[in-house]
Amino acid sequence: MGGDFLENSENKIISKTFFWMFLGLLGTGLVAFYTYTSDLYLSIFSSPSSLGILAIVEVVVVLLFSFLFKKLPPLVVGILYFIYSFINGFTFSSIFAVFELNSIIYVFFLTAILYAVLAFCGYKTNINVTKWSTILFIALIISLVASIINIFVGNSLLDIALNWIIIFIFAGYTVYDMHILKELSNDSSLNPEKIYIYCAMQLYLDFINLFIRLLSIFGRSKD
């Protein structure tokens, strides 16, 4: 009886987590599409100050979300999550200018299939993935630094290699975050309203990063 209760509670938190993740992705997509179709993206990307402000707000929101998560009430945590997803929509509007719409849709569904497989693996695995966090974080930092350097170097082969490396990193993060979600959903000391919002943010970031990197490799440019 107790096992059934814990399983139902776990399933409820996981379903809510993915629902909130879906809402975040939907918000990002709608804002991105509106920003592009209204030509607002031209004003944003032609103004370094606008891009700087968006970047600063994104960083501040992530820091608040990460470090004050346990102290903030669920409503504030939810608001921060949606603020971040909407701001991402402004910056992501550029993909509609660079890639064909059919290509964006195709890669989105490709990402969704890959993501579902990875999330299922993370949910079912009995492997101890707690040590993955440090390894994945270090690998991500090295890859991001290399990506920044390559902006100035302009090596196309290195760019492709880095895209694949970052895909593998966020594939690992997806498995890790899904496993952590399963563990947190069984922790009675935590507020379940916060758990699914916090985990939705992590899984949202995993999906977005997988999508962007896959789009860079498989997306069809308008040029």
Side-chain angles (χ1 to χ4, degrees), residues 9-221:
S9 176
E10 178 183 299
N11 291 336
K12 183 178 180 181
I13 290 175
I14 289 174
S15 61
K16 281 190 173 184
T17 297
F18 277 99
F19 177 68
W20 273 70
M21 175 192 164
F22 168 77
L23 290 179
L25 290 172
L26 180 64
T28 299
L30 291 175
V31 171
F33 190 70
Y34 171 77
T35 303
Y36 171 69
T37 55
S38 66
D39 290 334
L40 179 60
Y41 81 101
L42 295 173
S43 300
I44 294 174
F45 287 92
S46 62
S47 171
S49 59
S50 297
L51 287 173
I53 291 171
L54 287 175
I56 291 171
V57 173
E58 279 191 333
V59 171
V60 170
V61 170
V62 169
L63 291 176
L64 288 173
F65 194 94
S66 300
F67 293 105
L68 299 179
F69 163 70
K70 292 183 178 180
K71 297 180 180 180
L72 295 173
L75 177 62
V76 176
V77 174
I79 291 173
L80 288 174
Y81 170 66
F82 282 114
I83 288 175
Y84 184 82
S85 64
F86 291 158
I87 292 174
N88 255 350
F90 291 117
T91 55
F92 275 42
S93 61
S94 62
I95 67 173
F96 292 104
V98 176
F99 298 98
E100 294 181 0
L101 182 58
N102 288 341
S103 181
I104 294 172
I105 295 171
Y106 165 77
V107 175
F108 181 87
F109 281 106
L110 174 65
T111 307
I113 293 170
L114 173 63
Y115 190 86
V117 172
L118 293 168
F120 180 78
C121 291
Y123 179 77
K124 288 295 184 179
T125 186
N126 293 319
I127 300 172
N128 183 6
V129 301
T130 54
K131 295 181 180 179
W132 288 21
S133 178
T134 302
I135 298 172
L136 290 170
F137 181 74
I138 293 173
L140 180 61
I141 293 299
I142 293 173
S143 299
L144 292 177
V145 171
S147 297
I148 293 172
I149 293 173
N150 197 44
I151 292 175
F152 302 99
V153 176
N155 188 314
S156 57
L157 290 178
L158 178 59
D159 190 50
I160 294 172
L162 286 170
N163 278 331
W164 279 110
I165 290 170
I166 294 175
I167 285 171
F168 281 110
I169 290 172
F170 278 100
Y173 264 123
T174 302
V175 173
Y176 171 81
D177 288 332
M178 189 63 199
H179 188 76
I180 294 301
L181 166 60
K182 184 180 178 181
E183 291 186 349
L184 291 177
S185 63
N186 292 318
D187 190 343
S188 58
S189 66
L190 297 175
N191 185 334
E193 300 297 313
K194 287 187 179 183
I195 291 174
Y196 64 75
I197 300 174
Y198 174 78
C199 291
M201 177 69 149
Q202 304 306 314
L203 294 172
Y204 165 91
L205 290 172
D206 296 338
F207 187 97
I208 286 293
N209 281 284
L210 282 172
F211 171 67
I212 289 300
R213 295 298 170 171
L214 287 170
L215 188 62
S216 297
I217 296 172
F218 298 109
R220 183 177 296 176
S221 176

